Amino acid sequence: AVMDEMLMDMMSTDNRFVRCPKPGCSNAIEREVALGALPTHAPDGQPLGRHHAAHMQKNRFRCAACTTNFCAECGQFPYHVAKTCSELAVHKAKTPCRFCEVPLPKGRNRARCC
């Protein structure tokens, strides 16, 4: 148990590893250098721009222990496809339509678009 704690402490300060953010998991995953062409589409088929593809290639991980897809940069799970972490933060800050979750223009709190 003491060795496990020491290993976990060591991996938490080593940027070669990323920890699964799902509560109750904490599995450590080794980062790999991505080689080859950037993906052109997300796993769901959504087309990706170069900036979003580079973000996904660098930060999208799947935990082998719990199968959670997550972002290594911001810890969001599931991984935010076709958005960088800062774009996701802006999107989450907007008030969503109460029926379809589409972000509403500023000032339209509790309104709807559909």
Side-chain angles (χ1 to χ4, degrees):
V2 172
M3 288 297 283
D4 289 341
E5 287 180 36
M6 288 173 45
L7 183 60
M8 293 297 203
D9 287 343
M10 182 189 74
M11 284 194 285
S12 68
T13 59
D14 189 337
N15 64 3
R16 292 176 299 168
F17 294 93
V18 62
R19 187 161 312 283
C20 178
K22 187 172 181 181
C25 187
S26 80
N27 186 42
I29 303 159
E30 186 174 9
R31 291 183 184 263
E32 295 179 10
V33 176
L35 301 173
L38 291 174
T40 57
H41 290 81
D44 64 358
Q46 185 176 359
L48 294 173
R50 185 169 178 74
H51 183 67
H52 295 123
H55 186 279
M56 186 175 93
Q57 189 176 52
K58 180 181 176 188
N59 295 298
R60 182 178 180 261
F61 287 86
R62 177 182 295 237
C63 178
C66 70
T67 70
T68 297
N69 284 315
F70 66 93
C71 178
E73 187 175 327
C74 69
Q76 176 70 37
F77 63 92
Y79 176 81
H80 44 86
V81 176
K83 287 183 175 62
T84 62
C85 301
S86 57
E87 290 169 343
L88 178 67
V90 168
H91 177 79
K92 288 174 109 178
K94 294 180 180 177
T95 303
C97 170
R98 59 185 171 172
F99 297 107
C100 69
E101 300 296 314
V102 169
L104 298 170
K106 197 169 192 166
R108 288 189 57 190
N109 292 344
R110 305 204 45 89
R112 62 185 204 152
C113 66
C114 56

